[in-house]
Protein backbone atom coordinates (compact mmCIF):
# COMPACT_ATOMS: atom_id res chain seq x y z
CA UNK A 1 0.00 0.00 0.00
CA UNK A 2 1.60 3.18 -1.22
CA UNK A 3 -0.09 6.50 -1.93
CA UNK A 4 -3.50 7.71 -0.95
CA UNK A 5 -6.05 5.31 0.57
CA UNK A 6 -8.47 4.24 3.26
CA UNK A 7 -8.12 1.23 5.53
CA UNK A 8 -10.95 -0.09 7.72
CA UNK A 9 -10.46 -2.65 10.49
CA UNK A 10 -13.09 -5.16 11.71
CA UNK A 11 -13.28 -3.29 15.03
CA UNK A 12 -14.67 -0.25 13.18
CA UNK A 13 -11.53 1.89 13.37
CA UNK A 14 -10.31 3.37 10.12
CA UNK A 15 -7.46 5.38 8.66
CA UNK A 16 -7.82 7.78 5.74
CA UNK A 17 -4.59 9.23 4.38
CA UNK A 18 -1.22 8.55 2.88
CA UNK A 19 0.56 5.19 2.88
CA UNK A 20 4.07 3.99 2.11
CA UNK A 21 5.17 0.36 1.90
CA UNK A 22 2.05 -0.88 3.75
CA UNK A 23 2.42 1.73 6.57
CA UNK A 24 0.49 4.83 7.44
CA UNK A 25 3.05 7.41 6.40
CA UNK A 26 2.44 11.11 5.74
CA UNK A 27 -0.70 13.02 6.38
CA UNK A 28 -3.76 11.12 7.56
CA UNK A 29 -6.80 10.91 9.78
CA UNK A 30 -7.33 8.04 12.21
CA UNK A 31 -10.74 7.32 13.74
CA UNK A 32 -10.97 4.79 16.57
CA UNK A 33 -14.09 2.81 17.38
CA UNK A 34 -14.36 4.55 20.85
CA UNK A 35 -14.73 7.94 19.15
CA UNK A 36 -11.15 9.16 19.49
CA UNK A 37 -9.66 10.93 16.47
CA UNK A 38 -6.25 12.05 15.32
CA UNK A 39 -5.55 14.38 12.40
CA UNK A 40 -1.94 14.97 11.46
CA UNK A 41 1.32 13.45 10.34
CA UNK A 42 2.34 9.78 10.51
CA UNK A 43 5.58 7.87 10.22
CA UNK A 44 5.70 4.07 9.94
CA UNK A 45 2.23 3.65 11.46
CA UNK A 46 2.92 6.04 14.36
CA UNK A 47 1.93 9.62 14.95
CA UNK A 48 4.98 11.71 14.19
CA UNK A 49 5.21 15.44 13.50
CA UNK A 50 2.44 17.97 13.98
CA UNK A 51 -1.00 16.68 14.82
CA UNK A 52 -4.30 17.14 16.59
CA UNK A 53 -5.68 14.43 18.88
CA UNK A 54 -9.03 14.32 20.62
CA UNK A 55 -9.77 11.43 22.95
CA UNK A 56 -13.16 9.93 23.68
CA UNK A 57 -13.08 11.39 27.22
CA UNK A 58 -12.85 14.92 25.79
CA UNK A 59 -9.14 15.56 26.36
CA UNK A 60 -7.42 17.34 23.48
CA UNK A 61 -3.80 17.75 22.40
CA UNK A 62 -2.57 19.99 19.62
CA UNK A 63 1.16 19.90 19.02
CA UNK A 64 4.19 17.83 18.15
CA UNK A 65 4.53 14.04 18.20
CA UNK A 66 7.38 11.57 17.93
CA UNK A 67 7.18 7.81 17.68
CA UNK A 68 3.52 7.89 18.72
CA UNK A 69 4.11 10.08 21.81
CA UNK A 70 3.68 13.76 22.54
CA UNK A 71 7.15 15.21 22.01
CA UNK A 72 8.12 18.83 21.50
CA UNK A 73 5.85 21.80 22.02
CA UNK A 74 2.13 21.38 22.39
CA UNK A 75 -1.06 22.36 24.15
CA UNK A 76 -3.02 19.81 26.15
CA UNK A 77 -6.54 20.60 27.34
CA UNK A 78 -8.30 18.31 29.79
CA UNK A 79 -12.06 17.86 29.75
CA UNK A 80 -12.26 19.51 33.22
CA UNK A 81 -10.77 22.72 31.80
CA UNK A 82 -7.15 22.31 32.91
CA UNK A 83 -4.71 23.57 30.26
CA UNK A 84 -1.01 22.89 29.79
CA UNK A 85 0.94 24.72 27.11
CA UNK A 86 4.62 23.92 26.86
CA UNK A 87 7.29 21.31 26.23
CA UNK A 88 6.89 17.53 26.12
CA UNK A 89 9.38 14.66 26.19
CA UNK A 90 8.33 11.06 25.48
CA UNK A 91 4.68 11.77 26.22
CA UNK A 92 5.28 13.68 29.48
CA UNK A 93 5.41 17.34 30.43
CA UNK A 94 9.11 18.16 30.55
CA UNK A 95 10.89 21.45 29.94
CA UNK A 96 9.26 24.83 30.23
CA UNK A 97 5.55 25.34 30.30
CA UNK A 98 2.43 26.93 31.74
CA UNK A 99 -0.41 25.05 33.41
CA UNK A 100 -3.71 26.66 34.39
CA UNK A 101 -6.35 24.96 36.51
CA UNK A 102 -10.11 25.65 36.39
CA UNK A 103 -9.88 27.14 39.90
CA UNK A 104 -7.67 29.92 38.53
CA UNK A 105 -4.44 28.64 40.08
CA UNK A 106 -1.52 28.50 37.68
CA UNK A 107 2.11 27.44 37.48
CA UNK A 108 4.71 28.71 35.04
CA UNK A 109 8.20 27.31 34.97
CA UNK A 110 10.09 24.07 34.57
CA UNK A 111 8.61 20.57 34.42
CA UNK A 112 9.93 17.04 34.50
CA UNK A 113 7.95 13.80 34.33
CA UNK A 114 4.58 15.62 34.44
CA UNK A 115 5.64 17.40 37.66
CA UNK A 116 6.70 20.92 38.64
CA UNK A 117 10.43 20.38 38.80
CA UNK A 118 13.09 23.07 38.71
CA UNK A 119 12.48 26.80 38.94
CA UNK A 120 8.94 28.06 38.68
CA UNK A 121 6.22 30.41 39.84
CA UNK A 122 2.98 29.19 41.38
CA UNK A 123 0.10 31.63 41.66
CA UNK A 124 -3.08 30.87 43.59
CA UNK A 125 -6.47 32.41 42.88
CA UNK A 126 -6.48 34.19 46.27
CA UNK A 127 -3.37 36.14 45.24
CA UNK A 128 -0.76 34.04 47.03
CA UNK A 129 2.43 33.48 45.02
CA UNK A 130 5.54 31.33 45.31
CA UNK A 131 8.71 31.90 43.29
CA UNK A 132 11.52 29.41 43.64
CA UNK A 133 12.64 25.80 43.39
CA UNK A 134 10.40 22.75 42.96
CA UNK A 135 10.85 19.00 43.11
CA UNK A 136 8.11 16.52 42.18
CA UNK A 137 5.29 19.07 42.50
CA UNK A 138 6.47 20.34 45.89
CA UNK A 139 8.36 23.44 46.93
CA UNK A 140 11.89 22.24 47.55
CA UNK A 141 15.06 24.32 47.75
CA UNK A 142 15.20 28.10 47.91
CA UNK A 143 12.10 30.20 47.39
CA UNK A 144 9.96 33.19 48.29
CA UNK A 145 6.33 32.76 49.30
CA UNK A 146 3.91 35.66 49.65
CA UNK A 147 0.47 34.93 51.01
CA UNK A 148 -2.70 36.84 50.20
CA UNK A 149 -2.79 38.28 53.74
CA UNK A 150 0.59 39.96 53.18
CA UNK A 151 2.80 37.46 55.04
CA UNK A 152 6.13 36.73 53.32
CA UNK A 153 8.66 33.93 53.74
CA UNK A 154 12.08 33.99 52.09
CA UNK A 155 14.20 30.93 52.72
CA UNK A 156 14.60 27.19 52.37
CA UNK A 157 11.90 24.59 51.67
CA UNK A 158 11.72 20.81 51.76
CA UNK A 159 8.83 18.59 50.72
CA UNK A 160 6.53 21.61 50.50
CA UNK A 161 7.35 22.90 53.99
CA UNK A 162 9.65 25.60 55.36
CA UNK A 163 12.81 23.74 56.28
CA UNK A 164 16.28 25.16 56.92
CA UNK A 165 17.10 28.82 57.36
CA UNK A 166 14.62 31.50 56.42
CA UNK A 167 12.99 34.81 57.22
CA UNK A 168 9.27 35.06 57.89
CA UNK A 169 7.69 38.54 57.80
CA UNK A 170 4.08 38.84 58.89
CA UNK A 171 1.78 41.57 57.62
CA UNK A 172 1.42 42.92 61.17
CA UNK A 173 5.15 43.67 61.31
CA UNK A 174 6.29 40.61 63.24
CA UNK A 175 9.55 39.11 61.94
CA UNK A 176 11.23 35.79 62.57
CA UNK A 177 14.63 34.94 61.12
CA UNK A 178 16.25 31.63 61.90
CA UNK A 179 15.93 27.85 61.59
CA UNK A 180 12.90 25.83 60.50
CA UNK A 181 12.08 22.12 60.67
CA UNK A 182 9.03 20.65 58.90
CA UNK A 183 7.30 24.02 58.63
CA UNK A 184 7.86 25.10 62.24
CA UNK A 185 10.33 27.43 63.96
CA UNK A 186 12.85 25.01 65.44
CA UNK A 187 16.50 25.68 66.24
CA UNK A 188 18.11 29.07 66.75
CA UNK A 189 16.46 32.28 65.67
CA UNK A 190 15.48 35.87 66.32
CA UNK A 191 11.88 37.05 66.53
CA UNK A 192 10.82 40.68 66.67
CA UNK A 193 7.19 41.51 67.44
CA UNK A 194 5.24 44.36 65.89
CA UNK A 195 5.56 46.28 69.16
CA UNK A 196 9.36 45.99 69.11
CA UNK A 197 9.77 43.23 71.70
CA UNK A 198 12.34 40.67 70.61
CA UNK A 199 13.56 37.22 71.50
CA UNK A 200 16.93 35.80 70.50
CA UNK A 201 17.53 32.15 71.30
CA UNK A 202 16.26 28.61 70.81
CA UNK A 203 12.90 27.51 69.41
CA UNK A 204 11.00 24.25 69.12
CA UNK A 205 7.65 23.69 67.43
CA UNK A 206 6.99 27.43 66.87
CA UNK A 207 7.63 28.16 70.58
CA UNK A 208 10.44 29.75 72.53
CA UNK A 209 12.00 26.63 73.97
CA UNK A 210 15.48 26.24 75.41
CA UNK A 211 17.89 29.02 76.24
CA UNK A 212 17.14 32.54 75.07
CA UNK A 213 16.99 36.27 75.73
CA UNK A 214 13.73 38.22 75.69
CA UNK A 215 13.88 42.01 75.50
CA UNK A 216 10.85 44.26 75.92
CA UNK A 217 10.50 47.79 74.59
CA UNK A 218 10.08 49.17 78.10
CA UNK A 219 13.63 48.05 78.91
CA UNK A 220 12.91 44.79 80.69
CA UNK A 221 15.15 41.87 79.76
CA UNK A 222 15.05 38.17 80.60
CA UNK A 223 17.95 35.77 80.07
CA UNK A 224 17.41 32.11 80.80
CA UNK A 225 15.44 28.97 80.03
CA UNK A 226 12.08 28.66 78.26
CA UNK A 227 9.50 25.91 77.86
CA UNK A 228 6.67 26.24 75.33
CA UNK A 229 6.84 30.05 75.15
CA UNK A 230 7.05 30.53 78.92
CA UNK A 231 9.96 31.30 81.23
CA UNK A 232 10.73 27.99 82.86
CA UNK A 233 13.84 26.85 84.72
CA UNK A 234 16.73 29.09 85.68
CA UNK A 235 16.71 32.70 84.56
CA UNK A 236 17.38 36.33 85.33
CA UNK A 237 15.09 39.27 84.65
CA UNK A 238 15.98 42.93 84.93
CA UNK A 239 13.75 45.95 84.47
CA UNK A 240 14.72 49.39 83.20
CA UNK A 241 14.18 50.93 86.65
CA UNK A 242 16.92 48.69 88.08
CA UNK A 243 14.76 46.07 89.77
CA UNK A 244 15.92 42.52 89.06
CA UNK A 245 15.16 38.88 89.82
CA UNK A 246 17.55 35.96 89.53
CA UNK A 247 16.29 32.49 90.29
CA UNK A 248 13.85 29.77 89.34
CA UNK A 249 10.80 30.04 87.11
CA UNK A 250 7.87 27.79 86.24
CA UNK A 251 5.15 28.34 83.66
CA UNK A 252 6.18 31.97 83.24
CA UNK A 253 6.12 32.83 86.96
CA UNK A 254 8.76 33.08 89.68
CA UNK A 255 8.71 29.67 91.31
CA UNK A 256 11.33 28.17 93.61
CA UNK A 257 14.32 29.87 95.15
CA UNK A 258 15.28 33.33 93.94
CA UNK A 259 16.75 36.72 94.73
CA UNK A 260 14.72 39.88 94.05
CA UNK A 261 16.61 43.18 94.04
CA UNK A 262 14.44 46.28 94.28
CA UNK A 263 15.25 49.47 92.40
CA UNK A 264 16.42 51.27 95.56
CA UNK A 265 18.88 48.52 96.50
CA UNK A 266 16.70 46.48 98.83
CA UNK A 267 17.05 42.70 98.43
CA UNK A 268 14.64 39.86 99.11
CA UNK A 269 16.09 36.34 99.23
CA UNK A 270 13.65 33.46 99.55
CA UNK A 271 11.28 31.02 97.91
CA UNK A 272 8.44 31.71 95.49
CA UNK A 273 5.34 29.85 94.37
CA UNK A 274 3.42 30.80 91.23
CA UNK A 275 4.82 34.32 91.24
CA UNK A 276 4.22 34.98 94.94
CA UNK A 277 6.51 34.82 97.97
CA UNK A 278 5.89 31.48 99.66
CA UNK A 279 7.93 30.18 102.58
CA UNK A 280 10.77 31.78 104.48
CA UNK A 281 12.75 34.67 103.12
CA UNK A 282 15.13 37.41 104.17
CA UNK A 283 14.74 41.10 103.36
CA UNK A 284 17.83 43.31 103.37
CA UNK A 285 16.51 46.78 104.08
CA UNK A 286 17.91 49.57 101.85
CA UNK A 287 20.72 51.44 103.56
CA UNK A 288 20.55 55.17 104.12
CA UNK A 289 16.88 55.40 105.06
CA UNK A 290 15.79 57.47 108.03
CA UNK A 291 12.48 55.64 108.29
CA UNK A 292 13.12 52.00 109.25
CA UNK A 293 9.46 51.57 110.14
CA UNK A 294 8.62 52.23 106.49
CA UNK A 295 9.67 48.65 105.75
CA UNK A 296 6.51 47.24 107.27
CA UNK A 297 4.40 49.61 105.18
CA UNK A 298 6.15 48.61 101.96
CA UNK A 299 5.90 44.90 102.67
CA UNK A 300 2.21 45.23 103.46
CA UNK A 301 1.51 47.18 100.25
CA UNK A 302 3.50 44.76 98.10
CA UNK A 303 1.81 41.79 99.76
CA UNK A 304 -1.68 43.19 99.18
CA UNK A 305 -0.90 44.25 95.63
CA UNK A 306 0.38 40.82 94.61
CA UNK A 307 -2.30 38.97 96.53
CA UNK A 308 -5.06 40.95 94.86
CA UNK A 309 -3.62 40.34 91.38
CA UNK A 310 -3.36 36.65 92.17
CA UNK A 311 -6.96 36.47 93.37
CA UNK A 312 -8.29 38.17 90.25
CA UNK A 313 -6.22 35.92 87.99
CA UNK A 314 -4.53 38.88 86.31
CA UNK A 315 -0.92 37.92 86.90
CA UNK A 316 0.95 38.21 83.62
CA UNK A 317 3.77 35.72 82.98
CA UNK A 318 5.78 38.45 81.31
CA UNK A 319 5.93 42.23 81.91
CA UNK A 320 3.37 42.52 84.70
CA UNK A 321 4.96 39.61 86.52
CA UNK A 322 8.15 41.59 87.01
CA UNK A 323 7.61 45.26 86.25
CA UNK A 324 5.16 45.66 89.10
CA UNK A 325 4.71 48.43 91.60
CA UNK A 326 7.73 47.42 93.70
CA UNK A 327 9.99 50.12 92.29
CA UNK A 328 7.34 52.81 92.86
CA UNK A 329 6.57 51.64 96.37
CA UNK A 330 10.24 51.62 97.30
CA UNK A 331 11.17 54.81 95.54
CA UNK A 332 10.86 56.77 98.76
CA UNK A 333 13.80 54.82 100.18
CA UNK A 334 16.17 57.22 98.49
CA UNK A 335 14.32 60.22 99.91
CA UNK A 336 15.83 61.60 103.07
CA UNK A 337 19.02 59.58 102.59
CA UNK A 338 21.48 60.46 105.35
CA UNK A 339 25.04 61.53 104.79
CA UNK A 340 27.24 58.78 103.34
CA UNK A 341 29.33 58.83 106.50
CA UNK A 342 26.42 57.57 108.59
CA UNK A 343 24.27 54.79 107.06
CA UNK A 344 22.32 51.80 108.31
CA UNK A 345 21.04 48.50 106.99
CA UNK A 346 18.24 46.52 108.52
CA UNK A 347 17.84 42.76 107.95
CA UNK A 348 14.40 41.19 108.44
CA UNK A 349 13.31 37.56 108.22
CA UNK A 350 9.83 37.02 106.78
CA UNK A 351 7.53 34.07 106.24
CA UNK A 352 4.88 34.00 103.54
CA UNK A 353 2.02 31.72 102.55
CA UNK A 354 1.13 32.27 98.88
CA UNK A 355 2.12 35.92 99.03
CA UNK A 356 0.55 36.66 102.41
CA UNK A 357 3.02 37.85 105.05
CA UNK A 358 2.32 35.87 108.22
CA UNK A 359 5.44 36.58 110.27
CA UNK A 360 8.48 38.83 110.31
CA UNK A 361 11.32 39.56 112.73
CA UNK A 362 14.43 41.68 112.72
CA UNK A 363 17.67 39.73 112.44
CA UNK A 364 20.35 42.40 112.16
CA UNK A 365 20.73 46.16 112.38
CA UNK A 366 23.92 47.39 110.75
CA UNK A 367 25.57 50.78 111.21
CA UNK A 368 28.38 51.88 108.92
CA UNK A 369 30.65 54.88 109.42
CA UNK A 370 33.02 55.89 106.66
CA UNK A 371 35.57 58.72 106.84
CA UNK A 372 37.19 59.36 103.49
CA UNK A 373 39.68 61.93 104.80
CA UNK A 374 41.08 59.67 107.53
CA UNK A 375 40.58 56.56 105.39
CA UNK A 376 39.01 54.77 108.31
CA UNK A 377 36.00 52.46 108.44
CA UNK A 378 33.87 51.84 111.49
CA UNK A 379 31.75 48.74 111.16
CA UNK A 380 29.38 47.81 113.97
CA UNK A 381 26.48 45.37 114.18
CA UNK A 382 23.67 45.13 116.67
CA UNK A 383 23.06 41.42 116.48
CA UNK A 384 19.67 39.88 117.10
CA UNK A 385 20.35 36.43 115.61
CA UNK A 386 23.55 34.89 114.31
CA UNK A 387 23.41 33.47 110.79
CA UNK A 388 26.30 32.54 108.41
CA UNK A 389 24.23 33.76 105.46
CA UNK A 390 23.60 37.11 107.13
CA UNK A 391 27.24 37.56 108.09
CA UNK A 392 28.34 36.84 104.53
CA UNK A 393 26.00 39.53 103.26
CA UNK A 394 27.15 42.02 105.90
CA UNK A 395 30.79 41.46 105.00
CA UNK A 396 29.89 42.21 101.41
CA UNK A 397 28.27 45.47 102.49
CA UNK A 398 31.38 46.39 104.46
CA UNK A 399 33.64 45.76 101.47
CA UNK A 400 31.52 48.09 99.37
CA UNK A 401 31.98 50.97 101.76
Amino acid sequence: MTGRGVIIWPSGSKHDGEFSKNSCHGNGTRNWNDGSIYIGNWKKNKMDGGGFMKWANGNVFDGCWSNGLKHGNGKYTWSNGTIYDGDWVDGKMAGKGLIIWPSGNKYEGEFFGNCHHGIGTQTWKDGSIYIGDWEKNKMNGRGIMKWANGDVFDGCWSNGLRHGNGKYMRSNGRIYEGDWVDGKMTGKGLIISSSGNKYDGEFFGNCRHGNGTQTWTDGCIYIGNWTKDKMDGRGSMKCANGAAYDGCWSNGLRHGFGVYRFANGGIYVGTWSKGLEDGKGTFYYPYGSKQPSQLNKWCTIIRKSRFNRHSSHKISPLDANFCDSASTLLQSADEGRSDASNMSYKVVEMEYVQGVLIRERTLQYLEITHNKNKRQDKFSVKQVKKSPCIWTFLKTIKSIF
Side-chain angles (χ1 to χ4, degrees):
M1 297 179 292
T2 299
R4 188 80 186 180
V6 177
I7 185 170
I8 301 174
W9 289 272
S11 63
S13 299
K14 71 175 182 178
H15 181 87
D16 184 357
E18 298 176 342
F19 291 82
S20 176
K21 298 180 179 179
N22 289 332
S23 297
C24 303
H25 191 94
N27 187 270
T29 300
R30 172 73 61 89
N31 295 89
W32 284 267
N33 58 359
D34 64 356
S36 299
I37 183 174
Y38 171 81
I39 303 172
N41 293 316
W42 294 78
K43 184 177 181 181
K44 296 181 179 180
N45 281 331
K46 293 184 178 180
M47 298 171 285
D48 196 290
F52 173 86
M53 174 81 181
K54 183 176 181 179
W55 285 266
N57 60 9
N59 295 344
V60 175
F61 176 76
D62 186 4
C64 299
W65 300 75
S66 179
N67 200 32
L69 299 173
K70 297 179 287 289
H71 191 92
N73 189 268
K75 183 178 181 180
Y76 194 104
T77 304
W78 284 262
S79 57
N80 64 2
T82 302
I83 299 173
Y84 171 78
D85 191 358
D87 299 328
W88 298 78
V89 175
D90 295 333
K92 296 182 178 180
M93 296 179 287
K96 293 183 178 181
L98 167 66
I99 187 169
I100 302 174
W101 290 272
S103 63
N105 299 340
K106 65 179 181 179
Y107 169 84
E108 184 173 9
E110 298 177 340
F111 289 79
F112 181 80
N114 286 335
C115 296
H116 312 342
H117 195 95
I119 300 175
T121 299
Q122 172 84 35
T123 305
W124 287 265
K125 64 177 182 179
D126 64 357
S128 299
I129 184 171
Y130 170 82
I131 303 172
D133 298 326
W134 295 78
E135 184 175 340
K136 295 181 179 179
N137 278 338
K138 293 185 177 180
M139 297 172 284
N140 199 93
R142 187 79 185 184
I144 300 175
M145 176 78 179
K146 183 176 182 180
W147 286 268
N149 62 6
D151 292 355
V152 177
F153 176 78
D154 183 1
C156 298
W157 299 75
S158 179
N159 200 33
L161 299 173
R162 297 181 292 273
H163 191 92
N165 189 269
K167 184 176 182 180
Y168 193 107
M169 295 162 284
R170 292 188 178 275
S171 57
N172 62 6
R174 187 184 183 190
I175 299 174
Y176 170 80
E177 186 170 6
D179 299 328
W180 297 78
V181 175
D182 295 334
K184 295 182 178 182
M185 297 180 290
T186 300
K188 292 185 178 180
L190 169 66
I191 190 168
I192 304 175
S193 69
S194 55
S195 62
N197 299 335
K198 65 179 181 179
Y199 170 84
D200 187 1
E202 297 176 339
F203 290 80
F204 182 80
N206 284 337
C207 295
R208 292 167 289 187
H209 194 94
N211 189 269
T213 300
Q214 174 80 34
T215 305
W216 287 270
T217 53
D218 60 6
C220 286
I221 183 171
Y222 171 83
I223 303 173
N225 294 318
W226 297 76
T227 299
K228 294 182 179 179
D229 261 343
K230 294 186 177 181
M231 297 172 286
D232 195 277
R234 181 77 182 186
S236 299
M237 179 176 267
K238 184 177 182 181
C239 202
N241 59 22
Y245 173 79
D246 183 11
C248 299
W249 300 77
S250 179
N251 199 34
L253 300 172
R254 295 184 290 270
H255 190 90
F257 181 81
V259 178
Y260 192 114
R261 182 185 298 274
F262 295 93
N264 76 323
I267 301 174
Y268 173 79
V269 180
T271 57
W272 303 76
S273 178
K274 298 180 180 179
L276 301 173
E277 299 94 329
D278 193 20
K280 289 186 177 181
T282 305
F283 190 98
Y284 300 94
Y285 185 72
Y287 52 76
S289 175
K290 291 182 177 180
Q291 304 173 14
S293 60
Q294 193 75 347
L295 172 64
N296 295 329
K297 177 181 178 182
W298 292 335
C299 290
T300 302
I301 296 175
I302 294 173
R303 168 174 56 81
K304 290 182 178 179
S305 175
R306 287 177 180 165
F307 181 74
N308 290 338
R309 290 205 308 272
H310 178 68
S311 301
S312 60
H313 302 286
K314 292 183 180 180
I315 291 182
S316 168
L318 296 178
D319 301 87
N321 185 47
F322 179 78
C323 307
D324 52 19
S325 59
S327 59
T328 303
L329 298 173
L330 294 173
Q331 190 174 8
S332 59
D334 291 327
E335 298 175 2
R337 169 173 288 188
S338 61
D339 186 83
S341 63
N342 221 343
M343 293 185 290
S344 62
Y345 211 106
K346 189 174 182 180
V347 183
V348 179
E349 182 182 77
M350 302 177 181
E351 188 170 351
Y352 292 88
V353 175
Q354 288 295 307
V356 180
L357 180 63
I358 62 174
R359 186 177 65 176
E360 67 175 86
R361 59 174 177 166
T362 301
L363 296 183
Q364 303 283 352
Y365 186 76
L366 171 65
E367 292 180 352
I368 301 175
T369 301
H370 182 63
N371 191 323
K372 293 183 179 180
N373 296 328
K374 297 181 180 180
R375 297 182 179 275
Q376 293 179 352
D377 293 331
K378 182 181 179 182
F379 182 75
S380 62
V381 177
K382 295 180 180 179
Q383 182 177 346
V384 179
K385 179 183 177 183
K386 290 184 179 180
S387 170
C389 179
I390 299 301
W391 278 107
T392 301
F393 177 78
L394 294 179
K395 290 177 181 179
T396 303
I397 295 297
K398 180 182 178 182
S399 66
I400 294 175
F401 295 98

